[in-house]
Amino acid sequence: MKLGVLLCDHVQPHLQADFGDYAAMFAAIISTSGIAVELQFFDVVNGEFPAHIDVCDCYITTGSKYGVNDDLVWLAQLTEFVLCLHRAKKGFVGICFGHQLIAHALGGSVEKSTKGWGIGIAKADIVKDTQWMVPKSQSINLVVSHQDQISTLPTDAEVLLTSDFCPFSMYKIGEHFLGIQGHPEFTRIYSYALMDSRRDRIPAGTITAAVGSLSWKTDDVLMMKWLLLFLQRTVQV
């Protein structure tokens, strides 16, 4: 399976020495899945896009510091690319920013959450089981880092994971589009470094609570396996 990774941002330069860039994070977590995947990276935030949707079998996005409501040339181009994937029923997983982009592109809405920042490790409960969610689990813990949230889903979306903080934690559209708010590619250590770098904009109490959550077990390996199994099914159809 040839997977195109759409890079919608880059790790802050002063953190790259310790954590690498997003391409390295994705390569690392995907390598734990046991699924044969060939990766190709596209720096879409800097205007580098696949020449055609069939350059890869399926696609996945990174997160981003940008919001889906921003007026940016590359974002408009990415939105059109996502719409092309949807029309072709080609496999696509949106992570965090990408999760919100699917909703935004397909008729839903995304807004700043009235609950504030979602950071640290968050638990979401599974409300709809699927064949590709193996091994099974009743809930998922993942690192999160977001201010925006989906407020309205597209009409044909089906919620798979939910939490009080983020009701639409994971959803699918048909059998080819999947969005997840959490970050399976983020480690606890990177989560701490990221929130620490944003102390100028995140309330101190929110950071304190989030740091406390970093002792929780994460299901990053399991979730990445699920995402790849989902994409694998889209390739086999």
Side-chain angles (χ1 to χ4, degrees):
M1 180 170 69
K2 187 173 182 180
L3 176 61
V5 182
L6 307 177
L7 300 169
C8 302
D9 200 0
H10 294 282
V11 171
Q12 297 174 48
H14 72 281
L15 297 178
Q16 288 197 26
D18 290 328
F19 302 103
D21 207 345
Y22 290 131
M25 292 183 187
F26 272 86
I29 191 64
I30 287 170
S31 71
T32 69
S33 69
I35 298 171
V37 180
E38 177 188 349
L39 297 177
Q40 185 169 350
F41 296 94
F42 300 93
D43 192 2
V44 298
V45 71
N46 286 313
E48 180 191 348
F49 283 82
H52 189 274
I53 61 171
D54 291 332
V55 167
C56 295
D57 297 318
C58 47
Y59 295 88
I60 192 169
T61 70
T62 67
S64 181
K65 64 176 172 286
Y66 302 103
V68 299
N69 296 308
D70 293 345
D71 183 16
L72 301 166
V73 172
W74 70 268
L75 179 52
Q77 189 175 353
L78 178 59
T79 302
E80 182 55 37
F81 185 79
V82 168
L83 288 171
C84 287
L85 294 176
H86 180 57
R87 288 191 289 266
K89 290 186 164 42
K90 201 166 182 73
F92 177 65
V93 169
I95 291 181
C96 192
F97 167 85
H99 159 88
Q100 297 164 11
L101 181 61
I102 292 173
H104 178 74
L106 299 182
S109 56
V110 177
E111 302 171 2
K112 285 279 186 294
S113 174
T114 58
K115 300 170 186 174
W117 282 83
I119 52 176
I121 295 175
K123 176 186 175 185
D125 296 317
I126 294 168
V127 292
K128 173 71 176 179
D129 199 3
T130 69
Q131 291 183 338
W132 44 267
M133 287 182 181
V134 288
K136 301 296 183 185
S137 182
Q138 294 184 329
S139 63
I140 290 290
N141 288 353
L142 285 179
V143 170
V144 295
S145 183
H146 63 106
Q147 269 188 298
D148 292 352
Q149 286 200 54
I150 296 170
S151 52
T152 308
L153 282 170
T155 55
D156 52 351
E158 183 176 15
V159 177
L160 305 178
L161 268 69
T162 189
S163 71
D164 291 339
F165 188 87
C166 184
F168 309 134
S169 297
M170 184 166 78
Y171 66 97
K172 71 182 183 76
I173 295 177
E175 299 302 325
H176 59 293
F177 266 32
L178 183 70
I180 181 163
Q181 185 63 69
H183 286 275
E185 77 281 13
F186 282 7
T187 64
R188 294 182 185 85
I189 301 172
Y190 178 67
S191 173
Y192 177 81
L194 186 59
M195 67 178 83
D196 190 51
S197 74
R198 293 173 169 168
R199 288 184 181 275
D200 61 330
R201 70 202 81 164
I202 303 177
T206 301
I207 291 179
T208 298
V211 170
S213 75
L214 295 180
S215 63
W216 301 357
K217 177 185 77 72
T218 59
D219 298 298
D220 49 353
V221 173
L222 176 61
M223 177 52 70
M224 184 51 72
K225 184 174 183 179
W226 284 3
L227 300 182
L228 293 174
L229 288 173
F230 172 83
L231 289 171
Q232 195 173 61
R233 288 170 65 89
T234 71
V235 175
Q236 293 169 348
V237 170

